[in-house]
Amino acid sequence: FNALLKGDLWRRNATHANTMATHLATRLRSETNVEILYPVEANGVFARLQPKVIEATIGTFPYYVFDKEQGVARLMTTWDTTKEFIDHFVDAVRAVP
């Protein structure tokens, strides 16, 4: 805990994760037909994904589908999430016919 609290490392990590979640939601909203279900207020994005999108992406991009019938997934970002990782995910979503 000392390392996280020293120099506000925890805040920098949280800010980065939150920023990446906003970036993910923005890209999904503007470049795909994925529905973002709730405002992004932290490092989680709740989205409705088509079954074929889930099937094509979940093996490569770990996320949690908590309502399979509705396709509702929780996409989380962390202190080490990169824009490139998000780009790859969005590209994979867009590539699903």
Side-chain angles (χ1 to χ4, degrees):
F1 285 108
N2 288 336
L4 284 173
L5 297 175
K6 187 177 182 178
D8 282 340
L9 177 60
W10 71 271
R11 184 181 306 272
R12 289 192 311 272
N13 287 346
T15 298
H16 175 78
N18 296 350
T19 299
M20 291 296 100
T22 299
H23 179 66
L24 173 59
T26 300
R27 295 253 351 250
L28 287 172
R29 194 179 288 118
S30 67
E31 299 177 32
T32 72
N33 63 351
V34 170
E35 177 186 3
I36 306 302
L37 300 173
Y38 306 107
V40 177
E41 297 177 340
N43 67 320
V45 177
F46 292 86
R48 186 178 322 276
L49 304 174
Q50 297 295 319
K52 60 186 178 180
V53 170
I54 294 170
E55 185 178 320
T57 61
I58 200 158
T60 305
F61 302 94
Y63 55 87
Y64 180 65
V65 179
F66 65 89
D67 185 339
K68 291 181 183 178
E69 185 175 302
Q70 296 294 315
V72 177
R74 182 185 67 197
L75 312 170
M76 301 298 293
T77 57
T78 66
W79 63 272
D80 65 346
T81 301
T82 65
K83 285 187 175 183
E84 291 79 17
F85 184 82
I86 291 170
D87 293 344
H88 290 300
F89 178 71
V90 174
D91 290 345
V93 170
R94 286 190 355 222
V96 176

